[in-house]
Amino acid sequence: MHCCGSGWCSASAVWSGDAVLEVADEGPGLGPAQTARIFERFYRADTSRTRTTGGGAGLGLAVVDSLGTAHAGHVEIDSAPGWGATFRVRLPGHAELPPTTRELEPGLAARRV
């Protein structure tokens, strides 16, 4: 998420059968070529090596995408140059989970929650 000095950021969560976390900003926005690559590890839309302000390593959105996928969900992006960006993480309300019960001792079982 990119927030310029005077820009704004917002976050909201909604439950509508799916859990939806939405984060929006007023940053510079992303073009189609950037949007296509934004979830790649180490990809940064700002490729400048001389940035004077903070910046990440290009891992944040890749991690968000991986976590969403690991929980049977996905991440969506709406963005255009000059219009900021909105990211939505959607997680299903009743994801299919692998069996998590295993026998520890006769009569004693552990479950991952």
Side-chain angles (χ1 to χ4, degrees), residues 3-4 21 38 44 51 64 96:
C3 287
C4 301
L21 172 66
I38 199 71
R44 295 187 331 199
R51 290 189 286 182
V64 169
E96 292 295 321

Side-chain angles (χ1 to χ4, degrees), residues 47-61:
T47 57
S48 170
R49 293 179 181 259
T50 60
R51 290 189 286 182
T52 56
T53 59
L59 290 173
L61 289 173

Side-chain angles (χ1 to χ4, degrees), residues 81-110:
W83 292 98
T86 300
F87 294 88
R88 281 179 215 87
V89 180
R90 291 187 181 273
L91 301 174
H94 300 284
E96 292 295 321
L97 300 176
T100 58
T101 303
R102 60 185 167 94
E103 201 64 32
L104 296 177
E105 299 175 14
L108 181 64

Side-chain angles (χ1 to χ4, degrees), residues 34-74:
Q34 294 168 319
T35 300
R37 298 191 58 205
I38 199 71
F39 298 110
E40 293 176 14
R41 289 185 198 140
F42 304 110
Y43 177 76
R44 295 187 331 199
D46 177 3
T47 57
S48 170
R49 293 179 181 259
T50 60
R51 290 189 286 182
T52 56
T53 59
L59 290 173
L61 289 173
V63 169
V64 169
D65 188 49
S66 293
L67 288 171
T69 300
H71 292 281
H74 65 278

